[in-house]
Amino acid sequence: QVQLVESGGGLVQAGDSLRLSCAASGRTFSLYSIAWFRQAPGKEREFVAAIRSSFNTDYADSVKGRFTISRDNAENTVYLLTDSLKPEDTAVYYCAAVRILSTAQTTNPLAYGYWGRGTQVTVAS
């Protein structure tokens, strides 16, 4: 029902910023909650940020104050502004979508039924 495509990743220096984009298909995009997850080699996939259809947001403690999630429903796009990047932010960043999301499941990747293929963010050290 919804297809997601991430873009905007790249190789940057510590302290730099990137704006990641998650472009979605579907005329009901505005009804979906969208989250960003990331996964580094050898590590579990971890929650980064989420934005609901209500525009309420949640952030992982590790990125709060540095990353900002937003959405433009007219463009069917969710953004993740990553500021003050650190080497430990290096990972493949995925966006994910779900129509119905309970607050307790916000950070659970299993709660999301639709996933993009990811975009690589590499922060040089």
Side-chain angles (χ1 to χ4, degrees):
Q1 187 174 357
V2 59
Q3 294 176 310
L4 307 171
V5 180
E6 303 94 335
S7 63
L11 173 63
V12 298
Q13 302 297 125
D16 284 354
S17 299
L18 283 172
R19 179 175 277 104
L20 308 183
S21 298
C22 175
S25 66
R27 72 180 194 274
T28 59
F29 169 78
S30 64
L31 303 179
Y32 283 78
S33 293
I34 309 293
W36 287 94
F37 290 80
R38 66 187 182 186
Q39 188 165 25
K43 293 192 174 183
E44 299 291 325
R45 187 165 298 190
E46 66 173 349
F47 172 79
V48 177
I51 186 164
R52 294 176 173 271
S53 59
S54 64
F55 291 85
N56 287 345
T57 58
D58 295 279
Y59 296 92
D61 289 342
S62 60
V63 306
K64 194 168 187 176
R66 297 190 298 123
F67 291 9
T68 303
I69 189 170
S70 62
R71 69 190 298 161
D72 186 339
N73 289 339
E75 298 290 336
N76 272 25
T77 303
V78 167
Y79 302 97
L80 184 70
L81 176 61
T82 65
D83 195 21
S84 301
L85 284 164
K86 306 173 181 179
E88 51 262 45
D89 294 318
T90 295
V92 177
Y93 284 70
Y94 302 89
C95 64
V98 64
R99 175 65 179 84
I100 303 295
L101 181 67
S102 64
T103 56
Q105 295 296 98
T106 300
T107 65
N108 181 7
L110 297 179
Y112 298 83
Y114 303 94
W115 292 82
R117 298 295 180 90
T119 186
Q120 176 72 49
V121 172
T122 303
V123 184
S125 62

